[in-house]
Amino acid sequence: MDWSTPHAGILLIDEAGYKSKAAPGVLDTWLRAGVGFNTSRYTSLTDPKRRRESGNNFHFIAADRQFWQNDPDGTPFRGIYGGFSIMEAPPGLNRISRYCELRLYARGAFDSRPSDLIALVASNTSWSKFAVDAALTNGQLAHRETTAITATYTAHLAPGVYAGVGLSYIHNPTRITHTPQTKDALNLLLSTLIFF
């Protein structure tokens, strides 16, 4: 049996950061940055007829910070948080070249639901300029980015069991190309998470 995948290589990821957990009078802080390197051979988006290339990579930075504590002496992790993420990869080898996210969320906003999470997330996905230009050259309709705003509520139902509901508005919901009939999307999100 052949367990290999054509053109697949090794993916190496490393991350460094700083984390300070919430404590009475001490706000939760989490800073991190990382890089990845992939030896797999990818089709070049600058010239798809060229031989596959190795050396794909990415890098990211992210930060989350607690701004206010509901109950600093009892459950200091409860409160309001904010954060951001920025991830980038070479547009010549990746259809997504940049992803940016801003988030505002509350952990344990209600005394009766101390483990629940409310979140508002805005994200922007930038598509590879080479892939977009190739689509436009071929006469296709294409957009250079996708933007989404998502609001969710996640309830902690039992140990290891969570249920979520949310609403997401997406501007340019397709990957790169679209049709004249393509409109913005409004999605209802329902989820159940079980951790063992």
Side-chain angles (χ1 to χ4, degrees), residues 80-143:
I80 297 175
Y81 294 71
F84 74 90
S85 300
I86 301 173
M87 305 175 189
E88 293 187 334
L93 295 176
N94 301 278
R95 291 192 176 277
I96 296 176
S97 59
R98 180 182 297 121
Y99 175 82
C100 300
E101 179 179 292
L102 289 174
R103 50 191 171 267
L104 181 66
Y105 53 101
R107 296 179 64 188
F110 308 112
D111 290 339
S112 60
R113 306 289 309 170
S115 300
D116 289 3
L117 178 71
I118 303 171
L120 180 64
V121 177
S123 65
N124 179 269
T125 301
S126 297
W127 302 101
S128 163
K129 60 183 177 181
F130 301 109
V132 173
D133 290 346
L136 293 172
T137 299
N138 290 332
Q140 297 175 292
L141 297 174
H143 47 256

Side-chain angles (χ1 to χ4, degrees), residues 8-25:
I10 298 172
L11 173 62
L12 303 171
I13 301 174
D14 198 10
E15 178 180 296
Y18 166 81
K19 185 166 178 62
S20 173
K21 294 185 74 172

